[in-house]
Amino acid sequence: MDGDRAIAKILKAEGVEWMAAFPYQTLIDAAAQEGIRPIVCRHERTGVNMADGYSRVKNGKTFGVFTMQTGPGAENAYGGVAQAFADSIPLLLLPGGQTTDRTQTHPNFESVENYRGVTKWAANINRVDRVPEFMRRAFNHLRQGRPGPVLVEIPRDVGTADFAAETFRYAPVKICRSAADPDDVRDLVEALLKADCPIVNAGHGVLWAEASEELVELAELVQLPVLTTTAGKSAFPETHALSLGTGGYTATAMVDYFLKRTDFVLGVGTSFTISSFNAPMPPTATLAQVTHCAEDLNKDYCIELGAIGDVKLVLRQLIEEVKAQIGNGGREEERGVVEEIAGVKAEFLAKWRPIFKSDEVPISPYRVFAELQQAVDVANTIITHDSGYPRDQLVPFWPVEMPRGYIGWGKSTQLGYGLGLAMGAKLAAPEKQVINIMGDAAFGMAGMDIETAVRAQIPILTVVLNNGLMTYYDQYMPYSSKRWDTNKMGGDYAGVAEALGAYAERVESPAQLADAIKRGIRANGDGRPALLEVITKEELEVAKFW
């Protein structure tokens, strides 16, 4: 066999069932011969986004893979990898490379050198007999420590070189986990129990560790209100009485209320990074952190109490320590926390309820969200969004119930990202209804990959909120917008989607929404991707508190 076939066998051994791809890349056929389904996308960035969405929904049990041509293919994929790096998503990139005698020669693009800033680890296989070694390292980096993209460049002559089949040996890499120091756990729990108004800030790490059950158990044991980051949204059920909802660029009133009251914040699986896309931590509160990424301790905030280890294992340690300190029954609901949350939530939702029922024409995006929520089984749905206003408007209000029922993201905020995420999510969980909300600008970035969903039979529902504008961008370029309409755009997106083979409708009034959504979902049930283009107003109202 050759080097490509050896790589394909390793991918198969590691549980890879499909990979996104864009030719020319000889690995595609080698992988197909090993039973790995190649899905050729229309743009390399979307292929990376698909691998990203798959890795998220699988929680890194298996990984999304993208392979692309050396040079322009690797160049085009860069944006998607940068986004995955910002969100700490483990995915495997397998670009082709120049032949070994043509490396470090201008103007040849060198993936390893150029991708170092947006990958956890990047390497070039310099000899065919080292294929198992490099692939083992790659999967080790994918499975251990902070998640992130990993790149292995395959020089053309290495991929096609003979590999002695009788020497092939490979065993899949196992994840290694560790718990925290018991003294750290004890000290953290003592401080937690002494606090007057402790809360939890749950991040993406809870989802990666599949620790939602443990988080719920701890919250109930100590009567802890729980907020999630945008990336961590769905780590704690928002239908739970102790849920505060999500705090990101936009947030719920419950998050704002308790951040102003709290004297102790326990970060679980969150980096506590200061960012406009994360809720700011109160300067007077004690901060404690549970993370398996030691470098996140004291990065942006002063962390007084830390417990380093696998989030699932450490949460179990916290639970047992709480029981040891105050008994198996935990803390009684004597402080009225549940009632306090419910009161703030009722007031918050009452304030926003009219906009969700709005009969305005053009349609309010909030009315679209309300109709979607009514049409689907939220517990059996995965929903994601694009950056900007679709994210800002949806994040505080979609009441996610199950882990990974929402794919939250946004640290790099590249337009068009949600479409590939949704396709990857559907491949990871074909039994789920998968929805992507995007704006008209985002469609311009990634819309042609609707055809990929059609051709690859990935039945997702895409909702394009078309207001003909880049919302709010006239504030950044007022003269240009007034003189040259630089904030405006147009197009028949339903027409484009229909021409690409998807089921498509254009919706212009609120009365049409419910039935159109039902028809789109029915098309998905028949195995067909669907797109609803909804003519919406420029809606500037968002739930923003800081």
Side-chain angles (χ1 to χ4, degrees), residues 372-485:
L372 281 168
Q373 187 181 334
Q374 289 296 315
V376 301
D377 173 11
V378 174
N380 198 42
T381 296
I382 299 173
I383 191 168
T384 190
H385 47 70
D386 230 280
S387 64
Y389 276 82
R391 173 198 61 223
D392 301 342
Q393 292 163 346
L394 190 62
V395 160
F397 295 108
W398 189 269
V400 63
E401 299 178 26
M402 301 296 291
R404 293 297 184 192
Y406 196 108
I407 303 179
W409 60 275
K411 293 185 179 69
S412 179
T413 74
Q414 295 175 11
L415 285 172
Y417 187 55
L419 180 62
L421 283 183
M423 287 194 282
K426 185 66 176 180
L427 288 165
E431 76 283 2
K432 299 283 188 179
Q433 173 67 56
V434 178
I435 303 172
N436 171 49
I437 310 291
M438 66 194 314
D440 40 358
F443 185 93
M445 292 283 187
M448 289 303 292
D449 269 295
I450 291 290
E451 189 273 336
T452 302
V454 172
R455 173 170 33 85
Q457 298 180 317
I458 308 172
I460 61 170
L461 175 62
T462 297
V463 179
V464 178
L465 305 175
N466 181 10
N467 61 15
L469 295 165
M470 291 185 287
T471 303
Y472 198 74
Y473 273 73
D474 58 330
Q475 304 298 312
Y476 304 126
M477 44 185 184
Y479 179 82
S480 299
S481 297
K482 186 175 181 180
R483 175 69 178 85
W484 301 107
D485 289 335

Side-chain angles (χ1 to χ4, degrees), residues 64-365:
V65 179
F66 179 66
T67 189
M68 63 286 206
Q69 179 182 345
T70 184
E75 293 163 14
N76 276 343
Y78 192 93
V81 182
Q83 173 70 68
F85 182 77
D87 270 9
S88 295
I89 307 301
L91 55 90
L92 180 60
L93 304 153
L94 297 171
Q98 299 295 325
T99 55
T100 51
D101 63 344
R102 296 300 297 161
T103 59
Q104 302 181 53
T105 303
H106 180 80
N108 294 339
F109 183 84
E110 305 280 348
S111 289
V112 173
E113 179 180 348
N114 285 283
Y115 271 89
R116 285 197 192 279
V118 293
T119 55
K120 180 179 177 181
W121 183 73
N124 176 291
I125 305 176
N126 62 339
R127 290 186 353 196
V128 70
D129 60 326
R130 300 187 73 189
V131 162
E133 172 193 344
F134 276 89
M135 294 300 290
R136 184 176 65 251
R137 289 188 198 177
F139 277 97
N140 188 67
H141 281 288
L142 287 168
R143 288 203 165 93
Q144 322 295 351
R146 179 193 294 282
V150 168
L151 181 145
V152 178
E153 188 176 32
I154 311 166
R156 190 176 304 120
D157 53 338
V158 170
T160 57
D162 287 336
F163 186 104
E166 65 276 9
T167 67
F168 180 81
R169 301 287 186 277
Y170 186 83
V173 174
K174 295 181 180 180
I175 189 170
C176 297
R177 303 189 301 156
S178 60
D181 186 322
D183 291 343
D184 292 338
V185 172
R186 182 198 63 235
D187 293 346
L188 193 158
V189 169
E190 284 181 357
L192 171 67
L193 295 175
K194 288 177 182 176
D196 292 325
C197 183
I199 65 173
V200 171
N201 182 354
H204 204 177
V206 177
L207 291 166
W208 286 122
E210 298 184 344
S212 292
E213 288 186 13
E214 287 79 6
L215 180 57
V216 170
E217 185 176 351
L218 178 67
E220 292 176 346
L221 196 63
V222 190
Q223 291 299 296
L224 288 170
V226 179
L227 71 92
T228 67
T229 65
T230 301
K233 185 176 172 73
S234 79
F236 192 84
E238 294 183 349
T239 51
H240 195 285
L242 289 167
S243 172
L244 303 178
T246 304
Y249 183 79
T250 54
T252 68
M254 300 82 79
V255 169
D256 179 60
Y257 176 86
F258 275 88
L259 282 176
K260 289 174 178 174
R261 285 203 56 216
T262 186
D263 60 339
F264 187 101
V265 181
L266 172 59
V268 180
T270 178
S271 64
F272 272 139
T273 301
I274 294 176
S275 163
S276 60
F277 299 104
N278 291 330
M281 293 299 101
T284 58
T286 296
L287 299 186
Q289 191 172 8
V290 172
T291 177
H292 77 305
C293 300
E295 64 271 25
D296 283 338
L297 287 172
N298 296 300
K299 182 179 69 174
D300 279 347
Y301 293 101
C302 177
I303 304 300
E304 296 188 31
L305 297 148
I308 300 172
D310 176 80
V311 170
K312 190 179 186 75
L313 297 180
V314 178
L315 280 174
R316 178 52 55 193
Q317 288 179 282
L318 293 177
I319 290 165
E320 296 308 317
E321 183 63 30
V322 167
K323 291 177 179 178
Q325 292 190 24
I326 63 173
N328 290 340
R331 176 178 282 165
E332 293 183 6
E333 216 295 277
E334 57 190 22
R335 296 174 298 149
V337 171
V338 169
E339 291 78 7
E340 198 171 7
I341 296 171
V344 178
K345 184 175 183 178
E347 185 177 338
F348 174 60
L349 294 180
K351 173 186 174 182
W352 283 85
R353 191 168 292 116
I355 200 169
F356 282 92
K357 295 183 176 181
S358 170
D359 288 325
E360 293 174 279
V361 177
I363 304 167
S364 167

